[in-house]
Amino acid sequence: MSAYLIAAIYLFVVFLSSSTVFGSEGDEVYAKEILGAAQKEKEWLVSVRRQIHEHPELAFQEHNTSSLIRTQLHKLGIPYTYPVAKTGVVAQVGSGSRPIIAIRADMDALPLQELVEWEHKSKIDGRMHACGHDAHTTMLLGAAKLLSQRQDKLKGTVRLIFQPAEEGAKGASQMIKEGVLQDVEAIFALHIDPTTPTGAIASIPGALTAAGCQFEAKIEGVGGHAAAPHMNVDPVLATSFAILALQQLVSRETDPLHSQVISVTFVKGGTAFNVIPSYVKFGGTIRSLTTEGMYHFRQRLKEIIEGQAAVHRCNAYVDFKEEYFTPYPAVVNDNDLHLHVERVGQLLLGPDNVREAKKVMAGEDFAFFQQLIPGALFSIGIRNEKVGAIHSPHSPFFFLDEEALPIGAALHTALAELYLNEHKHAVH
Ligand SMILES: *[C@@H]1O[C@H](CO)[C@@H](O)[C@H](O)[C@H]1NC(C)=O
Ligand SMILES: [Zn+2]
Ligand SMILES: [Zn+2]
């Protein structure tokens, strides 16, 4: 063997152990380093999360949450832009040049009374962080800290997006309008998941959450004495037919292998026992695992309500309430980014702790980012029976296993750093 070849092999080995190439021994060292650094911040993470949990704020009103984020970023010496979409904060760590990737956390709480009795219960009546957005925000702040400690190692830029108003209030689209995705080539986010144990994650390529929209219909007849139906035009009967006919959209018009849901969630009409009302209002939500499916569904819903109203001599008006609810697309995970999440998850948490995520018919406004650039949303386990972390999001009993906080911070950090390592640009 020539001396050159030996030197080349030696350099290659040094390269393998110093850089993080998946599957090499350097990876184990890297995983320990990141997880160790995150665990050191656990106390801080828990205290940040509890502060946010005690003071839940609704969509676009996340003023104190936003201020807490800015205070922490300021302490860390991380530059940020504020306000973005009213209360949003966008920070940046790294070299300042491309590639630029983004990580997003949502900040808003729900109009819900917390029913868990514990020391750090929500201090605001009728409001609760029951979807774990307090944890998402905390994990991203944790990543901000870890990434800033590793600033010199970053082969590009990480944009940290603290987003308002995920819960049905257009937070993501507003942030996009204000330019947060500019020059960003990939975006990641996580969501807490009480069906997955703490220490594990779940991911899936393709569709993960449904596209959906809300609707309200008004069926108008002619009111009058209930004893003389022939003198009136009964909107109650027309509404009953319309609601039943809508059910057949899923059972008769949808591919049985494609998931769609329609739920009528309210019906309002009439006030007396002996008066046929002049109109009835009802409404609800529709969901589809594809965005096109949702738009088609929406069109058919309108036709069916109008058609059923006409059969019963009524008029129908269907309103999709777009001034309040933007129809949202399905979360569709980019295949390569999903594989990256899986690999990083395996690296940090071990192969047994990376699972296949279950699709859900709930919506997530992360989908708006994915309409423009490749993105991956994955689930992070928070299930722990011992602390009562078993309830589903949006439940008044929802409870988080705080052991997940450093894990989330570590995952974000490694996802970003390793992505940049693999995609570093030779020339800008
Ligand atoms: C936000 O902070 C102000 C000033 O400290 C306080 O009065 C208010 O109650 C806080 N709001 C919430 C939702 O915690
Ligand atoms: Zn939610
Ligand atoms: Zn959520």
Side-chain angles (χ1 to χ4, degrees):
M1 231 191 288
S2 78
Y4 287 117
L5 188 55
I6 292 170
I9 291 172
Y10 174 74
L11 284 176
F12 184 62
V13 169
V14 168
F15 167 76
L16 275 187
S17 55
S18 65
S19 71
T20 31
V21 175
F22 287 110
S24 77
E25 208 178 285
D27 286 354
E28 250 173 68
V29 176
Y30 177 80
K32 271 204 189 122
E33 194 178 306
I34 298 284
L35 285 169
Q39 286 301 337
K40 268 194 207 144
E41 304 300 341
K42 190 176 143 189
E43 211 175 298
W44 169 66
L45 292 168
V46 167
S47 88
V48 166
R49 185 261 160 170
R50 289 179 177 177
Q51 277 179 64
I52 304 176
H53 189 82
E54 287 178 1
H55 305 280
E57 297 172 301
L58 300 181
F60 289 124
Q61 297 164 25
E62 306 92 338
H63 299 288
N64 295 9
T65 309
S66 173
S67 145
L68 179 150
I69 292 165
R70 284 177 276 128
T71 304
Q72 294 294 342
L73 290 171
H74 181 75
K75 278 190 195 160
L76 295 168
I78 299 174
Y80 60 81
T81 308
Y82 164 84
V84 184
K86 208 163 177 184
T87 54
V89 182
V90 180
Q92 215 157 270
V93 198
S95 69
S97 48
R98 294 188 200 192
I100 305 175
I101 61 151
I103 312 176
R104 170 276 216 166
D106 38 16
M107 314 188 289
D108 54 324
L110 287 159
L112 193 75
Q113 177 61 45
E114 177 163 7
L115 295 180
V116 188
E117 295 305 329
W118 69 303
E119 207 187 331
H120 299 283
K121 181 179 175 174
S122 168
K123 292 193 188 319
I124 314 288
D125 274 349
R127 283 191 219 157
M128 178 187 181
H129 268 290
C131 203
H133 299 185
D134 51 346
H136 302 164
T137 296
T138 305
M139 289 168 181
L140 192 56
L141 269 177
K145 190 164 191 176
L146 300 183
L147 286 165
S148 73
Q149 291 164 0
R150 308 180 66 80
Q151 176 104 1
D152 305 342
K153 299 188 177 67
L154 300 178
K155 309 267 192 307
T157 305
V158 189
R159 194 170 290 167
L160 308 166
I161 299 179
F162 296 91
Q163 179 209 304
E166 189 284 323
E167 301 285 358
K170 308 184 186 183
S173 18
Q174 194 54 44
M175 286 206 107
I176 291 166
K177 272 189 207 142
E178 298 190 23
V180 297
L181 287 188
Q182 197 175 1
D183 300 326
V184 175
E185 65 174 54
I187 184 164
F188 296 96
L190 52 70
H191 202 291
I192 53 86
D193 172 16
T195 67
T196 302
T198 305
I201 61 166
S203 182
I204 191 175
L208 173 65
T209 72
C213 74
Q214 331 285 33
F215 68 93
E216 185 179 85
K218 181 180 183 187
I219 292 190
E220 218 169 55
V222 177
H225 202 297
H230 61 295
M231 304 294 287
N232 315 317
V233 177
D234 184 2
V236 174
L237 191 64
T239 298
S240 310
F241 272 90
I243 292 171
L244 283 175
L246 287 175
Q247 306 310 310
Q248 282 148 40
L249 257 172
V250 174
S251 79
R252 300 290 84 183
E253 288 189 32
T254 302
D255 179 343
L257 297 177
H258 179 71
S259 308
Q260 296 203 315
V261 176
I262 175 160
S263 290
V264 174
T265 54
F266 69 87
V267 183
K268 296 174 190 165
T271 49
F273 288 100
N274 56 358
V275 178
I276 289 173
S278 58
Y279 70 88
V280 174
K281 277 186 175 178
F282 66 100
T285 183
I286 58 176
R287 309 287 165 106
S288 169
L289 267 187
T290 66
T291 308
E292 314 79 75
M294 186 267 291
Y295 280 105
H296 177 71
F297 204 175
R298 212 166 91 127
Q299 182 54 33
R300 288 292 296 138
L301 172 122
K302 188 167 186 290
E303 287 166 10
I304 285 170
I305 295 172
E306 288 170 354
Q308 288 294 334
V311 166
H312 297 92
R313 299 176 296 150
C314 292
N315 290 316
Y317 307 91
V318 180
D319 181 356
F320 293 104
K321 309 299 273 181
E322 291 204 21
E323 68 275 33
Y324 309 110
F325 311 105
T326 320
Y328 49 87
V331 162
V332 180
N333 283 337
D334 177 79
N335 195 46
D336 289 342
L337 296 184
H338 151 75
L339 292 173
H340 183 67
V341 168
E342 273 197 342
R343 285 195 306 256
V344 171
Q346 284 166 1
L347 177 68
L348 258 54
L349 310 172
D352 296 343
N353 288 321
V354 177
R355 307 177 173 197
E356 187 180 325
K358 285 197 189 77
K359 297 172 189 180
V360 290
M361 298 307 282
E364 230 298 340
D365 80 353
F366 185 68
F368 288 105
F369 297 112
Q370 292 176 313
Q371 281 194 315
L372 299 169
I373 60 168
L377 173 72
F378 65 98
S379 304
I380 180 164
I382 59 146
R383 186 179 187 84
N384 182 351
E385 282 88 353
K386 283 190 202 121
V387 300
I390 53 168
H391 297 279
S392 66
H394 294 214
S395 155
F397 296 105
F398 176 79
F399 197 72
L400 183 93
D401 180 8
E402 290 173 330
E403 295 296 324
L405 297 172
I407 300 174
L411 283 165
H412 276 329
T413 305
L415 278 171
E417 184 176 345
L418 298 181
Y419 180 95
L420 294 177
N421 274 356
E422 291 176 13
H423 294 80
K424 59 187 171 231
H425 292 187
V427 188
H428 307 128

